[in-house]
């Protein structure tokens, strides 16, 4: 009973001291912490003033709100991290360390989290669906880890996220993409270098505010859904390189009038290039190299006056390329 009361009172008197103890406990659970000498029990009362990588709440200056450990050369897991004891955390940046193991589902208790970056570590396992409880999240990167399984649909439908980077993992397609809806605020989506196959993720067609979409290095074996050209009209950057896709390119491509960079090299797209390619567009990069395109270089290429880079090699085009292109202001082949 005494022990229980002690635990209760500890919980009630949440304070920077408790948070400092929680962080020291986590630090002590890690294998390697070369740059965290300031995180120590002897320095426990200076959490908000002298601790490296820790920022306290600007108004109260008593509770930890931001932790920035990017590039701190840390090694270890998150299993000693008491998420529930850091309820005021808004930013957690662990990018570019050597963390490994799975993400504990308790991360879902960080209900004020806005920024979460676990990129460039070696986290494994599946992403806990509890990430979907982080309703304030705006920026989420798990880029360049070893996650696998399907991305939980709860994570894809977070209401405030604008930046989502799950590239460079072993994520696979879920049984049904139809269970997924897009977060309406999303503008940046990177799913490159994963194991998505074969169906094109249909939820992306509902991400009407996307400006950046990178799906390169996956295994979609079909054609580009026609709805992409009408639903994603804000796209500026589209990368479908190395996706094992096929079929002809639709003339509706030119509806993507905001497109600046279009990379679709190293697939098996075929047919002729759309005769209206570039009309009404401001493309600076066009890469369709290493596909099965054929036909004469279309004169429409003369409309691509804003191009700085074009890759047409590795296809079955015929005709004179310099004649087709005309004189470009600033073109590199
Ligand atoms: C926060 O409090 C510490 C002492 O606990 C003080 O040294 C520091 O200057 C304060 N910072 C701000 C921004 O008020
Ligand atoms: C979180 O912030 C609130 C409001 O500033 C404060 O009352 C509470 O004690 C803080 N929690 C912890 C664990 O410091
Ligand atoms: C991936 O992460 C490792 C560290 O875990 C880093 O060395 C490497 O540069 C990262 N690669 C990319 C492409 O960011
Ligand atoms: C990441 O972890 C997996 C599984 O533990 C391991 O097989 C792989 O070698 C690790 N990769 C790196 C870059 O450490
Ligand atoms: C989509 O973008 C428009 C304009 O940029 C913005 O007004 C709108 O609020 C955005 N939608 C959401 C759900 O964020
Ligand atoms: C795509 O792959 C799936 C299975 O991996 C196969 O059933 C389907 O026929 C393929 N479609 C095309 C167009 O190759
Ligand atoms: C895909 O293309 C985009 C836009 O051109 C670019 O920023 C990105 O780095 C490319 N992705 C890869 C994996 O090269
Ligand atoms: C282009 O889009 C329109 C609808 O916006 C559709 O009717 C037409 O079939 C599409 N063109 C092709 C080649 O699919
Ligand atoms: C052409 O694309 C295929 C499929 O992605 C790839 O395996 C091959 O290496 C590429 N060839 C060249 C010359 O880039
Ligand atoms: C690419 O597509 C063409 C027809 O469009 C087909 O004949 C060829 O077999 C395909 N190549 C590969 C590697 O799938």
């Amino acid at each position: 009973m005494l022990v229980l009361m002690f635990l209760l009172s500890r919980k009630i008197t949440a304070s920077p001291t408790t948070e400092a103890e929680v962080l020291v406990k986590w630090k002590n659970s890690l294998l390697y912490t070369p740059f965290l000498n300031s995180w120590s029990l002897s320095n426990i009362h200076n959490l908000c003033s002298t601790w490296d990588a820790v920022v306290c709440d600007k108004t109260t200056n008593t509770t930890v709100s931001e932790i920035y450990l990017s590039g701190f050369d840390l090694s270890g897991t998150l299993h000693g991290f008491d998420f529930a004891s850091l309820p005021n955390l808004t930013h957690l940046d662990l990018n570019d360390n050597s963390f490994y193991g799975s993400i504990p589902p308790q991360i879902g208790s960080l209900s004020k989290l806005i920024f979460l970056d676990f990129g460039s570590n070696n986290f494994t396992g599946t992403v806990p669906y509890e990430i979907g409880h982080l309703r304030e999240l705006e920026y989420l990167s798990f880029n360049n880890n070893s996650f696998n399984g399907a991305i939980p649909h709860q994570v894809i439908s977070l209401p405030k996220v604008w930046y989502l980077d799950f590239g460079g993992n072993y994520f696979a397609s879920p049984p049904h993409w139809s269970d997924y809806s897009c977060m309406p605020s999303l503008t940046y989506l990177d799913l490159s270098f994963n194991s998505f196959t074969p169906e094109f993720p249909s939820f992306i067609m509902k991400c009407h505010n996307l400006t950046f979409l990178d799906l390169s290095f996956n295994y979609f074996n079909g054609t580009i859904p026609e709805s992409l050209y009408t639903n994603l009209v804000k796209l500026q950057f589209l990368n479908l390189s190395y996706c094992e896709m096929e079929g002809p390119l639709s003339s509706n491509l030119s509806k993507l009038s905001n497109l600046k960079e279009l990379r679709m090299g190293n697939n098996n797209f075929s047919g002729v290039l759309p005769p209206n390619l570039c009309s009404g567009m401001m493309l600076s990069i066009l890469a369709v190299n290493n596909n099965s395109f054929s036909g004469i270089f279309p004169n429409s290429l003369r409309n691509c006056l804003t191009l700085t880079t074009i890759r047409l090699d590795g296809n079955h085009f015929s005709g004179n390329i310099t004649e087709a292109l005309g004189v470009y202001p600033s073109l590199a082949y």
Side-chain angles (χ1 to χ4, degrees):
M1 190 60 198
L2 251 172
V3 174
L4 181 64
M5 279 187 61
F6 173 70
L7 284 176
L8 278 174
S9 70
R10 248 175 70 93
K11 202 159 172 60
I12 288 162
T13 57
S15 69
T17 318
T18 327
E19 292 187 316
E21 283 166 0
V22 163
L23 290 176
V24 169
K25 181 165 160 273
W26 177 51
K27 176 195 159 183
N28 290 340
S29 79
L30 301 178
L31 299 181
Y32 189 57
T33 58
F35 303 112
L36 285 182
N37 292 337
S38 61
W39 290 29
S40 80
L41 291 179
S42 61
N43 195 21
I44 202 158
H45 299 296
N46 302 322
L47 172 69
C48 293
S49 51
T50 68
W51 280 39
D52 289 326
V54 170
V55 174
C56 286
D57 178 87
K58 303 270 186 310
T59 46
T60 64
N61 193 21
T62 56
T63 179
V64 174
S65 64
E66 304 172 24
I67 297 178
Y68 295 104
L69 290 167
S70 177
F72 268 65
D73 211 2
L74 299 168
S75 174
T77 75
L78 287 177
H79 293 286
F81 194 105
D82 185 0
F83 292 98
S85 296
L86 295 162
N88 291 321
L89 212 51
T90 60
H91 291 65
L92 181 55
D93 187 354
L94 304 182
N95 187 286
D96 188 20
N97 286 285
S98 299
F99 288 108
Y100 58 90
S102 58
I103 298 184
Q106 289 78 11
I107 195 170
S109 64
L110 298 179
S111 61
K112 295 184 182 170
L113 208 60
I114 294 171
F115 178 101
L116 180 60
D117 190 345
F118 286 173
S120 289
N121 284 284
N122 194 20
F123 285 112
T124 52
T126 55
V127 168
Y129 74 86
E130 285 86 352
I131 300 269
H133 295 157
L134 309 178
R135 310 297 288 176
E136 297 300 318
L137 215 50
E138 295 176 15
Y139 183 107
L140 177 57
S141 176
F142 289 159
N143 178 283
N144 187 21
N145 279 279
S146 298
F147 289 112
N148 61 32
I151 300 170
H153 66 86
Q154 294 91 337
V155 174
I156 298 287
S157 58
L158 281 167
K160 294 186 180 173
V161 171
W162 66 270
Y163 185 102
L164 187 65
D165 188 349
F166 282 0
N169 284 282
Y170 302 101
F171 287 116
S173 296
H176 307 290
W177 279 119
S178 54
D179 297 339
Y180 288 64
S181 58
C182 189
M183 35 203 139
S185 50
L186 198 64
T187 59
Y188 184 105
L189 178 60
D190 186 346
L191 299 177
S192 64
F193 286 103
N194 276 292
S195 305
F196 295 114
T197 179
E199 193 194 334
F200 200 90
S202 53
F203 81 90
I204 293 175
M205 300 311 155
K206 299 179 217 155
C207 305
H208 298 291
N209 272 346
L210 273 190
T211 58
F212 181 100
L213 177 59
D214 191 349
L215 297 176
S216 60
F217 295 91
N218 278 290
Y219 308 97
F220 310 118
N221 61 355
T223 57
I224 299 176
E226 200 62 24
S227 54
L228 186 146
Y229 308 118
T230 38
N231 290 3
L232 305 185
V233 289
K234 293 185 179 175
L235 273 185
Q236 296 175 21
F237 303 92
L238 175 59
N239 196 336
L240 299 173
S241 317
Y242 290 95
C243 279
E244 303 194 354
M245 299 188 80
E246 59 182 28
L249 273 192
S250 167
S251 57
N252 284 330
L253 175 65
S254 65
K255 289 182 176 164
L256 300 179
S257 58
N258 293 300
L259 211 53
K260 293 184 180 133
E261 298 186 9
L262 175 59
R263 297 179 200 265
M264 42 196 349
N266 301 290
N267 286 282
N268 194 24
F269 292 115
S270 56
V272 297
L273 289 179
N276 63 349
L277 186 67
C278 291
S279 70
M281 302 171 91
M282 300 284 272
L283 275 182
S284 61
I285 295 179
L286 172 64
V288 300
N289 53 297
N290 193 15
N291 280 286
S292 294
F293 288 113
S294 57
I296 298 173
F297 293 115
N299 281 335
S300 58
L301 288 175
R302 285 176 179 257
N303 299 330
C304 307
L305 288 175
T306 46
L307 279 182
T308 55
T309 300
I310 189 167
R311 291 287 307 273
L312 301 167
D313 53 292
N315 286 288
H316 311 300
F317 291 117
S318 55
N320 185 327
I321 176 88
T322 29
E323 207 171 280
L325 286 171
V327 180
Y328 272 84
S330 52
L331 191 60
Y333 290 88

